[in-house]
Amino acid sequence: MSPLFKTVAVLGASYGGSSAARVLAQGLPKGWRVVLIDRNTHMNHLYAFPRYSVLPGHEHKAFIPYSGFFSSETQEPSPHAILHAHVTSISPHALTLSRAFPEHGIKEPGRTLDFQYLVYALGSHLPAPIDLWNPANTPAGTKAEGIQWFKRCQTRFAHANSILVVGGGALGIQYASDIAEAYPGKRVTLLHSRTKLLPRFDDAMHTEIVSGLTALNVDVILGDRLDLSSVSAGKTVRIGAGGEERVVRTESGREIHAELVLLCTGQKPNTELLTTLSPDVIVPEGPPREWLG
Ligand SMILES: Cc1cc2nc3c(=O)[nH]c(=O)nc-3n(C[C@H](O)[C@H](O)[C@H](O)COP(=O)(O)OP(=O)(O)OC[C@H]3O[C@@H](n4cnc5c(N)ncnc54)[C@H](O)[C@@H]3O)c2cc1C
């Protein structure tokens, strides 16, 4: 099929890539096809990852099948395709994949897809507590692997009596409140480097969140930053019944003991594949602060 078609390759079939692919598939002229590529077999609804990693019984809902994604209303077969593979490299008019798809003209040994246009929608690397897309956690990117990973997270939360959540952004606040609500007996601490939670929002938001967390018995520590060297140092203390707590330190010297430490300190753009294609488009220090409002 492929030599007969011109190709728009869309990398990443999450919120951004899947929307772009749908719009393109509806608007491209005859003779063009969209090839949408993702490491995952299902669209992952990542907004719900933190909650599903704490609360058992809902994890299957995080995985939305791509079946019928390009279904055509006409009798003709759709020229578009969605491929389950890792993109491993990109050059100006070709990319390579982790698997071959001979039926779409992507053959061994090169596993190369030629394209006329490319949409780069590979998003961000996920923060450690919800890092489902790390090949070590879900090497094949399947729903079954994802469900097992969520269940392992749920077991860890069920067994830990003390949890330190580092970072008072949306992810950290959600983790602290969900864990405290699901497990009222656990000691939950939220550590945030600034004096205000969600600093880009109104003061009233901060006040409301602190009052909600306090009602859930979450210990909120503001204006103190985790000393990351104390995390890598790996110090632990023994607690009853053969258990063990990690000992970490803040920059002000405060020691915090917790069986689990969740680093909710932000996401990094997934731009590695662009660095070889077009290094000039990467801004290593991120966007200027004034763009962020
Ligand atoms: C916990 C949490 C809650 C959130 N809640 C909200 C919310 O309520 N409302 C809101 O508007 N936003 C929310 N966000 C932000 C939102 O999730 C992001 O803005 C959104 O995910 C960005 O979508 P994207 O398509 O650009 O990239 P991503 O969602 O990051 O998707 C990237 C895709 O690329 C794929 N991929 C990556 N590398 C490769 C590769 N080499 N080969 C093949 N495939 C690859 C991944 O599998 C993934 O499907 C939340 C984020 C988090 C972490």
Side-chain angles (χ1 to χ4, degrees):
M1 172 194 282
S2 56
L4 304 175
F5 283 89
K6 290 187 171 157
T7 299
V8 181
V10 179
L11 312 190
S14 183
Y15 308 97
S18 63
S19 302
R22 268 215 180 86
V23 171
L24 284 164
Q26 284 160 8
L28 282 175
K30 245 187 164 22
W32 284 79
R33 65 171 180 170
V34 178
V35 178
L36 176 61
I37 303 159
D38 203 285
R39 74 174 295 280
N40 295 323
T41 55
H42 290 63
M43 156 99 190
N44 284 199
H45 186 33
L46 74 88
Y47 302 0
F49 278 14
R51 181 150 300 166
Y52 294 163
S53 69
V54 174
L55 199 66
H58 298 271
E59 54 284 343
H60 59 283
K61 299 177 194 165
F63 304 96
I64 302 157
Y66 288 118
S67 43
F69 188 87
F70 285 125
S71 60
S72 160
E73 284 169 19
T74 66
Q75 294 302 310
E76 290 174 28
S78 167
H80 313 299
I82 175 156
L83 307 182
H84 171 219
H86 267 94
V87 181
T88 52
S89 70
I90 314 173
S91 57
H93 282 289
L95 56 85
T96 55
L97 296 179
S98 56
R99 298 170 50 201
F101 296 87
E103 69 280 23
H104 296 293
I106 304 163
K107 299 184 184 136
E108 295 287 4
R111 302 186 301 274
T112 301
L113 171 68
D114 295 326
F115 58 82
Q116 276 67 38
Y117 291 97
L118 178 84
V119 176
Y120 191 98
L122 296 181
S124 304
H125 296 293
L126 298 177
I130 53 166
D131 194 8
L132 189 70
W133 302 340
N134 185 325
N137 293 331
T138 55
T142 62
K143 176 178 177 178
E145 283 178 345
I147 286 177
Q148 287 313 312
W149 180 84
F150 276 116
K151 289 187 172 170
R152 287 198 296 278
C153 294
Q154 292 157 8
T155 305
R156 280 198 315 156
F157 287 121
H159 289 163
N161 290 310
S162 51
I163 296 113
L164 168 64
V165 180
V166 181
L171 181 64
I173 293 165
Q174 176 162 11
Y175 258 126
S177 48
D178 278 1
I179 297 164
E181 178 132 28
Y183 297 104
K186 296 189 192 294
R187 175 160 47 86
V188 182
T189 306
L190 176 64
L191 172 68
H192 185 50
S193 58
R194 301 188 188 208
T195 51
K196 199 177 136 187
L197 297 168
L198 296 183
R200 284 191 210 136
F201 289 82
D202 285 350
D203 288 352
M205 178 79 108
H206 164 83
T207 310
E208 182 73 27
I209 298 167
V210 171
S211 118
L213 290 168
T214 307
L216 289 166
N217 286 323
V218 175
D219 184 15
V220 181
I221 303 172
L222 298 174
D224 204 354
R225 188 180 289 274
L226 184 70
D227 177 350
L228 285 173
S229 69
S230 73
V231 180
S232 38
K235 186 175 165 192
T236 56
V237 286
R238 292 228 155 272
I239 51 172
E244 171 168 280
E245 278 185 335
R246 298 178 69 177
V247 180
V248 295
R249 206 180 43 251
T250 65
E251 288 182 352
S252 76
R254 184 197 311 251
E255 260 196 3
I256 304 175
H257 294 207
E259 287 174 57
L260 275 183
V261 177
L262 305 183
L263 296 180
C264 302
T265 45
Q267 290 183 254
K268 286 209 181 79
N270 182 7
T271 48
E272 286 81 4
L273 289 170
L274 277 181
T275 53
T276 46
L277 177 71
S278 185
D280 296 350
V281 303
I282 309 289
V283 183
E285 64 280 9
R289 289 192 82 78
E290 58 271 21
W291 290 9
L292 301 172

